[in-house]
Amino acid sequence: MSTRTEALSERFEAAFMRNYGVPPVAIARGEGSTVWDVDGRRYLDFIGGIAVTSLGHGHPALVEAVSRQVAALAHTSNLFLHEPEVLLAERLIGLLGGPARVFLANSGTEANEAALKLAIKYGKAHGKSYFVAAEMGFHGRTLGALALTGKASIRDQFGPFPIDVRFVPYGDADALKNAVTGDCAAVFLEPTQGEAGVVPPPEGYLAAAREICSAAGALLVADEIQSAIGRTGRWFAHQAEGVLPDVLTLAKGLGGGMPIGACIGFGEAGTVFGLGDHGSTFGGNPVSCAAALAVLDTIERDGLLEHAESMGRRLADGISAVSHPLLKGVRGRGLWLAAVLTSDRAARVQATAQEAGFLVNAVQPDAVRLAPPLVVTDAEVSSFLDAFPAILEAADA
Ligand SMILES: *Cc1c(COP(=O)(O)O)cnc(C)c1O
């Protein structure tokens, strides 16, 4: 007799396009940092839906806000305004220390698509014709965002693209300086590269990028879709270097699990779009906005930035302290880390972690990503650290 997981997996395999492969766990429900699969097995969720479930699963504040809002008003389209979107835009501007203007979308790739259209329009107005992005960077899967994505394996087969993008090695300020001339409209960068394996740049890189863009009159677009909303122990990762971008994109953790994206333009960049230049039917829908407000309120009320910083340090220190031939070290900051391996065994580690009751993600062949909810407890971190050496040992066997 097959398990429920096996039965669902077979049906998934038959019904879906093959872009994902069949995921290894069928999750039925969650509470805090814990999820249960359809066969009743329990896991500690140390990936959080790819850094999305900031408050964990089933957080009362999120449930209450979403339930109340969906009962009152689920949708208006952009033909009508509503209070939750205004509150959210004001709140984000307040956290960033405006002056800024916001566009709300449904996802990360859409937030970047908005940023790209904005940058194209800015470029045309200033006689600038090309874009710069980083090798191994990830900005999404729509054609515009994909054109900016520095991973040939997912990009090249869908080209050519309608924009000229030049790629530079991430973290190399000299290469960036050489690539950004007066004809460059915008530079798209992640403050730490997420999909590349949680790769932080050398200190000073973002500040250098800011200077280079300002000198060339290019927009600096910070893709903080994965890095923001407390993930690194700050609201926004770019704040660590005191650098203000011209455009900021958000998604993932902002909605705590509800789909929402934001493209925020500072100063002149906030006024590039004119009437009719961009839009979305679902973007900024009241339910997702209410969810995002609950996420932001809860992070503030419960001191989750400090908590993410201290739990992240415990987790990183604990991993660093493990001595195992398969473990090279740990990268990242806050609750956004990669355990870096000495060989390409991340998929094995993901599987042995799952066997041991932990969900983690083989983000690169040699890097295991950890992005637990910001509410992860001390005891949960300890439980992962206690299990980690045996997980590595099993993966190395
Ligand atoms: C996830 C991600 C995206 C794409 O977001 P989607 O919501 O999957 O469209 C873009 N940029 C970065 C840095 C991301 O991590």
Side-chain angles (χ1 to χ4, degrees), residues 50 106-112 137-142 145 149 190-195 223-227 249 251-252 260 336 369:
I50 317 186
N106 306 288
S107 68
T109 197
E110 283 179 49
N112 281 338
F138 183 80
H139 299 292
R141 303 279 198 159
T142 55
T149 288
E190 298 163 81
T192 279
Q193 289 190 318
E195 296 308 305
D223 179 343
E224 289 235 33
I225 285 162
Q226 193 162 159
S227 57
T249 53
K252 291 198 168 86
I260 188 164
W336 196 34
R369 174 168 47 185

mmCIF file of all heavy atoms in Angstrom, residues 50 106-112 137-142 145 149 190-195 223-227 249 251-252 260 336 369, ligand 1:
data_model
loop_
_atom_site.group_PDB
_atom_site.id
_atom_site.type_symbol
_atom_site.label_atom_id
_atom_site.label_comp_id
_atom_site.label_asym_id
_atom_site.label_seq_id
_atom_site.Cartn_x
_atom_site.Cartn_y
_atom_site.Cartn_z
ATOM 1 N N ILE A 50 11.078 29.233 1.237
ATOM 2 C CA ILE A 50 12.117 30.090 0.641
ATOM 3 C C ILE A 50 12.046 31.498 1.238
ATOM 4 O O ILE A 50 11.760 32.490 0.550
ATOM 5 C CB ILE A 50 12.067 30.137 -0.900
ATOM 6 C CG1 ILE A 50 11.838 28.741 -1.489
ATOM 7 C CG2 ILE A 50 13.361 30.733 -1.439
ATOM 8 C CD1 ILE A 50 11.919 28.672 -3.014
ATOM 9 N N ASN A 106 2.274 41.341 -7.206
ATOM 10 C CA ASN A 106 1.904 40.071 -6.553
ATOM 11 C C ASN A 106 3.071 39.156 -6.250
ATOM 12 O O ASN A 106 2.879 38.130 -5.603
ATOM 13 C CB ASN A 106 0.955 39.285 -7.459
ATOM 14 C CG ASN A 106 -0.241 40.097 -7.855
ATOM 15 O OD1 ASN A 106 -1.117 40.352 -7.041
ATOM 16 N ND2 ASN A 106 -0.273 40.542 -9.100
ATOM 17 N N SER A 107 4.234 39.485 -6.745
ATOM 18 C CA SER A 107 5.357 38.549 -6.619
ATOM 19 C C SER A 107 6.665 39.307 -6.792
ATOM 20 O O SER A 107 6.677 40.491 -7.162
ATOM 21 C CB SER A 107 5.258 37.476 -7.707
ATOM 22 O OG SER A 107 5.482 38.073 -8.976
ATOM 23 N N GLY A 108 7.740 38.567 -6.570
ATOM 24 C CA GLY A 108 9.053 39.167 -6.736
ATOM 25 C C GLY A 108 9.360 39.505 -8.180
ATOM 26 O O GLY A 108 9.817 40.604 -8.500
ATOM 27 N N THR A 109 9.114 38.563 -9.053
ATOM 28 C CA THR A 109 9.435 38.807 -10.453
ATOM 29 C C THR A 109 8.640 40.001 -10.985
ATOM 30 O O THR A 109 9.151 40.802 -11.767
ATOM 31 C CB THR A 109 9.227 37.532 -11.300
ATOM 32 O OG1 THR A 109 9.902 37.671 -12.541
ATOM 33 C CG2 THR A 109 7.785 37.224 -11.554
ATOM 34 N N GLU A 110 7.416 40.152 -10.533
ATOM 35 C CA GLU A 110 6.621 41.308 -10.971
ATOM 36 C C GLU A 110 7.157 42.619 -10.401
ATOM 37 O O GLU A 110 7.076 43.662 -11.046
ATOM 38 C CB GLU A 110 5.171 41.148 -10.519
ATOM 39 C CG GLU A 110 4.367 40.187 -11.339
ATOM 40 C CD GLU A 110 2.957 40.087 -10.792
ATOM 41 O OE1 GLU A 110 2.306 41.122 -10.546
ATOM 42 O OE2 GLU A 110 2.505 38.957 -10.576
ATOM 43 N N ALA A 111 7.664 42.565 -9.182
ATOM 44 C CA ALA A 111 8.259 43.774 -8.598
ATOM 45 C C ALA A 111 9.469 44.182 -9.430
ATOM 46 O O ALA A 111 9.670 45.369 -9.738
ATOM 47 C CB ALA A 111 8.655 43.517 -7.149
ATOM 48 N N ASN A 112 10.280 43.184 -9.845
ATOM 49 C CA ASN A 112 11.446 43.498 -10.672
ATOM 50 C C ASN A 112 11.049 43.942 -12.074
ATOM 51 O O ASN A 112 11.713 44.780 -12.681
ATOM 52 C CB ASN A 112 12.372 42.282 -10.751
ATOM 53 C CG ASN A 112 13.218 42.143 -9.501
ATOM 54 O OD1 ASN A 112 13.422 43.128 -8.774
ATOM 55 N ND2 ASN A 112 13.696 40.954 -9.235
ATOM 56 N N GLY A 137 23.359 36.137 -10.343
ATOM 57 C CA GLY A 137 22.241 36.816 -9.694
ATOM 58 C C GLY A 137 20.918 36.207 -10.123
ATOM 59 O O GLY A 137 20.818 35.608 -11.198
ATOM 60 N N PHE A 138 19.912 36.359 -9.276
ATOM 61 C CA PHE A 138 18.574 35.873 -9.629
ATOM 62 C C PHE A 138 17.558 36.993 -9.424
ATOM 63 O O PHE A 138 17.489 37.587 -8.349
ATOM 64 C CB PHE A 138 18.183 34.666 -8.768
ATOM 65 C CG PHE A 138 16.829 34.107 -9.157
ATOM 66 C CD1 PHE A 138 16.707 33.273 -10.269
ATOM 67 C CD2 PHE A 138 15.694 34.434 -8.447
ATOM 68 C CE1 PHE A 138 15.464 32.778 -10.648
ATOM 69 C CE2 PHE A 138 14.447 33.937 -8.816
ATOM 70 C CZ PHE A 138 14.325 33.109 -9.922
ATOM 71 N N HIS A 139 16.784 37.270 -10.478
ATOM 72 C CA HIS A 139 15.795 38.340 -10.363
ATOM 73 C C HIS A 139 14.404 37.906 -10.777
ATOM 74 O O HIS A 139 13.479 38.722 -10.756
ATOM 75 C CB HIS A 139 16.254 39.556 -11.178
ATOM 76 C CG HIS A 139 17.557 40.116 -10.699
ATOM 77 N ND1 HIS A 139 17.692 40.747 -9.474
ATOM 78 C CD2 HIS A 139 18.800 40.106 -11.248
ATOM 79 C CE1 HIS A 139 18.961 41.124 -9.297
ATOM 80 N NE2 HIS A 139 19.655 40.742 -10.367
ATOM 81 N N GLY A 140 14.233 36.665 -11.187
ATOM 82 C CA GLY A 140 12.892 36.187 -11.498
ATOM 83 C C GLY A 140 12.810 35.536 -12.860
ATOM 84 O O GLY A 140 13.792 35.450 -13.599
ATOM 85 N N ARG A 141 11.593 35.087 -13.204
ATOM 86 C CA ARG A 141 11.411 34.213 -14.369
ATOM 87 C C ARG A 141 10.614 34.822 -15.505
ATOM 88 O O ARG A 141 10.462 34.182 -16.550
ATOM 89 C CB ARG A 141 10.690 32.943 -13.908
ATOM 90 C CG ARG A 141 11.408 32.194 -12.802
ATOM 91 C CD ARG A 141 12.516 31.350 -13.355
ATOM 92 N NE ARG A 141 12.917 30.324 -12.389
ATOM 93 C CZ ARG A 141 13.566 29.209 -12.720
ATOM 94 N NH1 ARG A 141 13.904 28.990 -13.963
ATOM 95 N NH2 ARG A 141 13.896 28.344 -11.809
ATOM 96 N N THR A 142 10.027 36.000 -15.324
ATOM 97 C CA THR A 142 9.389 36.627 -16.477
ATOM 98 C C THR A 142 10.495 37.135 -17.400
ATOM 99 O O THR A 142 11.651 37.246 -16.986
ATOM 100 C CB THR A 142 8.487 37.804 -16.063
ATOM 101 O OG1 THR A 142 9.263 38.721 -15.300
ATOM 102 C CG2 THR A 142 7.295 37.326 -15.243
ATOM 103 N N ALA A 145 12.708 40.107 -16.053
ATOM 104 C CA ALA A 145 13.483 39.706 -14.871
ATOM 105 C C ALA A 145 14.491 38.616 -15.239
ATOM 106 O O ALA A 145 15.610 38.583 -14.721
ATOM 107 C CB ALA A 145 12.545 39.215 -13.766
ATOM 108 N N THR A 149 18.805 38.028 -15.053
ATOM 109 C CA THR A 149 19.250 36.923 -14.208
ATOM 110 C C THR A 149 20.535 36.319 -14.767
ATOM 111 O O THR A 149 20.583 35.915 -15.930
ATOM 112 C CB THR A 149 18.106 35.883 -14.099
ATOM 113 O OG1 THR A 149 17.088 36.449 -13.258
ATOM 114 C CG2 THR A 149 18.573 34.573 -13.508
ATOM 115 N N GLU A 190 21.494 42.197 -5.949
ATOM 116 C CA GLU A 190 21.012 41.720 -4.658
ATOM 117 C C GLU A 190 22.052 42.130 -3.603
ATOM 118 O O GLU A 190 23.248 41.970 -3.849
ATOM 119 C CB GLU A 190 20.899 40.191 -4.664
ATOM 120 C CG GLU A 190 19.921 39.633 -5.676
ATOM 121 C CD GLU A 190 20.168 38.141 -5.910
ATOM 122 O OE1 GLU A 190 19.709 37.334 -5.091
ATOM 123 O OE2 GLU A 190 20.824 37.794 -6.902
ATOM 124 N N PRO A 191 21.635 42.597 -2.437
ATOM 125 C CA PRO A 191 22.601 42.985 -1.395
ATOM 126 C C PRO A 191 23.398 41.785 -0.875
ATOM 127 O O PRO A 191 24.520 41.934 -0.405
ATOM 128 C CB PRO A 191 21.747 43.558 -0.276
ATOM 129 C CG PRO A 191 20.421 43.834 -0.879
ATOM 130 C CD PRO A 191 20.260 42.913 -2.045
ATOM 131 N N THR A 192 22.804 40.612 -0.960
ATOM 132 C CA THR A 192 23.484 39.322 -0.801
ATOM 133 C C THR A 192 22.787 38.427 -1.797
ATOM 134 O O THR A 192 21.566 38.465 -1.901
ATOM 135 C CB THR A 192 23.321 38.792 0.643
ATOM 136 O OG1 THR A 192 24.269 39.426 1.499
ATOM 137 C CG2 THR A 192 23.554 37.283 0.726
ATOM 138 N N GLN A 193 23.543 37.634 -2.565
ATOM 139 C CA GLN A 193 22.881 36.807 -3.579
ATOM 140 C C GLN A 193 22.232 35.587 -2.941
ATOM 141 O O GLN A 193 22.914 34.752 -2.344
ATOM 142 C CB GLN A 193 23.901 36.370 -4.640
ATOM 143 C CG GLN A 193 24.343 37.526 -5.524
ATOM 144 C CD GLN A 193 25.150 37.054 -6.711
ATOM 145 O OE1 GLN A 193 26.002 36.173 -6.588
ATOM 146 N NE2 GLN A 193 24.895 37.630 -7.881
ATOM 147 N N GLY A 194 20.919 35.497 -3.078
ATOM 148 C CA GLY A 194 20.169 34.414 -2.446
ATOM 149 C C GLY A 194 20.279 33.090 -3.170
ATOM 150 O O GLY A 194 20.833 32.118 -2.655
ATOM 151 N N GLU A 195 19.750 33.047 -4.397
ATOM 152 C CA GLU A 195 19.710 31.777 -5.131
ATOM 153 C C GLU A 195 21.111 31.283 -5.496
ATOM 154 O O GLU A 195 21.309 30.095 -5.730
ATOM 155 C CB GLU A 195 18.847 31.900 -6.387
ATOM 156 C CG GLU A 195 17.382 32.195 -6.095
ATOM 157 C CD GLU A 195 16.763 31.237 -5.090
ATOM 158 O OE1 GLU A 195 16.829 30.025 -5.326
ATOM 159 O OE2 GLU A 195 16.244 31.703 -4.066
ATOM 160 N N ASP A 223 17.606 44.579 -5.370
ATOM 161 C CA ASP A 223 16.612 43.506 -5.322
ATOM 162 C C ASP A 223 16.695 42.871 -3.929
ATOM 163 O O ASP A 223 17.565 42.052 -3.646
ATOM 164 C CB ASP A 223 16.911 42.481 -6.418
ATOM 165 C CG ASP A 223 15.920 41.308 -6.396
ATOM 166 O OD1 ASP A 223 15.225 41.124 -5.377
ATOM 167 O OD2 ASP A 223 15.862 40.572 -7.401
ATOM 168 N N GLU A 224 15.764 43.310 -3.073
ATOM 169 C CA GLU A 224 15.728 42.803 -1.689
ATOM 170 C C GLU A 224 14.555 41.858 -1.491
ATOM 171 O O GLU A 224 13.987 41.770 -0.411
ATOM 172 C CB GLU A 224 15.638 43.988 -0.713
ATOM 173 C CG GLU A 224 16.917 44.780 -0.625
ATOM 174 C CD GLU A 224 17.423 44.908 0.813
ATOM 175 O OE1 GLU A 224 17.209 43.958 1.600
ATOM 176 O OE2 GLU A 224 17.997 45.970 1.117
ATOM 177 N N ILE A 225 14.210 41.175 -2.569
ATOM 178 C CA ILE A 225 13.056 40.280 -2.522
ATOM 179 C C ILE A 225 13.252 39.171 -1.485
ATOM 180 O O ILE A 225 12.323 38.781 -0.796
ATOM 181 C CB ILE A 225 12.793 39.752 -3.945
ATOM 182 C CG1 ILE A 225 12.145 40.874 -4.758
ATOM 183 C CG2 ILE A 225 11.938 38.484 -3.942
ATOM 184 C CD1 ILE A 225 12.196 40.695 -6.248
ATOM 185 N N GLN A 226 14.482 38.700 -1.372
ATOM 186 C CA GLN A 226 14.761 37.633 -0.403
ATOM 187 C C GLN A 226 15.402 38.166 0.877
ATOM 188 O O GLN A 226 15.272 37.563 1.939
ATOM 189 C CB GLN A 226 15.686 36.593 -1.060
ATOM 190 C CG GLN A 226 15.810 35.305 -0.296
ATOM 191 C CD GLN A 226 16.355 34.141 -1.115
ATOM 192 O OE1 GLN A 226 16.855 33.190 -0.559
ATOM 193 N NE2 GLN A 226 16.262 34.193 -2.424
ATOM 194 N N SER A 227 16.079 39.295 0.780
ATOM 195 C CA SER A 227 16.947 39.736 1.885
ATOM 196 C C SER A 227 16.269 40.646 2.895
ATOM 197 O O SER A 227 16.834 40.897 3.968
ATOM 198 C CB SER A 227 18.163 40.469 1.295
ATOM 199 O OG SER A 227 17.764 41.560 0.488
ATOM 200 N N THR A 249 13.197 46.541 -4.577
ATOM 201 C CA THR A 249 12.102 45.597 -4.804
ATOM 202 C C THR A 249 12.000 44.624 -3.636
ATOM 203 O O THR A 249 13.003 44.192 -3.061
ATOM 204 C CB THR A 249 12.269 44.826 -6.130
ATOM 205 O OG1 THR A 249 13.551 44.212 -6.182
ATOM 206 C CG2 THR A 249 12.105 45.757 -7.320
ATOM 207 N N ALA A 251 9.387 41.306 -1.869
ATOM 208 C CA ALA A 251 8.295 40.327 -2.032
ATOM 209 C C ALA A 251 8.411 39.321 -0.890
ATOM 210 O O ALA A 251 8.216 39.686 0.266
ATOM 211 C CB ALA A 251 8.332 39.640 -3.399
ATOM 212 N N LYS A 252 8.757 38.098 -1.210
ATOM 213 C CA LYS A 252 8.874 36.965 -0.276
ATOM 214 C C LYS A 252 8.362 37.224 1.152
ATOM 215 O O LYS A 252 7.193 37.020 1.429
ATOM 216 C CB LYS A 252 10.311 36.461 -0.274
ATOM 217 C CG LYS A 252 10.678 35.776 -1.607
ATOM 218 C CD LYS A 252 11.900 34.896 -1.491
ATOM 219 C CE LYS A 252 12.071 34.006 -2.706
ATOM 220 N NZ LYS A 252 12.795 34.595 -3.826
ATOM 221 N N ILE A 260 2.590 38.990 -2.392
ATOM 222 C CA ILE A 260 2.663 40.441 -2.588
ATOM 223 C C ILE A 260 4.086 40.803 -3.003
ATOM 224 O O ILE A 260 5.045 40.147 -2.588
ATOM 225 C CB ILE A 260 2.247 41.208 -1.307
ATOM 226 C CG1 ILE A 260 2.140 42.706 -1.593
ATOM 227 C CG2 ILE A 260 3.195 40.932 -0.133
ATOM 228 C CD1 ILE A 260 1.384 43.500 -0.543
ATOM 229 N N TRP A 336 19.415 33.840 7.652
ATOM 230 C CA TRP A 336 19.565 33.639 6.213
ATOM 231 C C TRP A 336 20.987 33.174 5.982
ATOM 232 O O TRP A 336 21.896 33.986 5.812
ATOM 233 C CB TRP A 336 19.288 34.957 5.502
ATOM 234 C CG TRP A 336 19.043 34.851 4.042
ATOM 235 C CD1 TRP A 336 18.415 33.838 3.379
ATOM 236 C CD2 TRP A 336 19.415 35.814 3.054
ATOM 237 N NE1 TRP A 336 18.371 34.118 2.037
ATOM 238 C CE2 TRP A 336 18.965 35.330 1.817
ATOM 239 C CE3 TRP A 336 20.066 37.046 3.096
ATOM 240 C CZ2 TRP A 336 19.160 36.028 0.632
ATOM 241 C CZ3 TRP A 336 20.261 37.742 1.923
ATOM 242 C CH2 TRP A 336 19.799 37.238 0.701
ATOM 243 N N ARG A 369 20.839 25.889 2.122
ATOM 244 C CA ARG A 369 20.278 27.153 2.624
ATOM 245 C C ARG A 369 19.380 26.914 3.834
ATOM 246 O O ARG A 369 18.548 26.016 3.839
ATOM 247 C CB ARG A 369 19.481 27.836 1.514
ATOM 248 C CG ARG A 369 18.731 29.097 1.977
ATOM 249 C CD ARG A 369 18.192 29.903 0.804
ATOM 250 N NE ARG A 369 17.499 29.110 -0.192
ATOM 251 C CZ ARG A 369 17.032 29.582 -1.346
ATOM 252 N NH1 ARG A 369 17.188 30.866 -1.641
ATOM 253 N NH2 ARG A 369 16.414 28.800 -2.216
HETATM 254 C C1 LIG B 1 12.640 34.841 -5.246
HETATM 255 C C2 LIG B 1 13.351 35.966 -5.867
HETATM 256 C C3 LIG B 1 12.831 36.632 -6.990
HETATM 257 C C4 LIG B 1 11.571 36.167 -7.685
HETATM 258 O O1 LIG B 1 10.460 36.229 -6.861
HETATM 259 P P1 LIG B 1 9.124 35.399 -7.239
HETATM 260 O O2 LIG B 1 8.160 35.809 -6.156
HETATM 261 O O3 LIG B 1 9.485 33.963 -7.222
HETATM 262 O O4 LIG B 1 8.678 35.866 -8.559
HETATM 263 C C5 LIG B 1 13.520 37.717 -7.479
HETATM 264 N N1 LIG B 1 14.647 38.142 -6.894
HETATM 265 C C6 LIG B 1 15.183 37.540 -5.816
HETATM 266 C C7 LIG B 1 16.429 38.079 -5.197
HETATM 267 C C8 LIG B 1 14.555 36.424 -5.273
HETATM 268 O O5 LIG B 1 15.097 35.800 -4.224
#
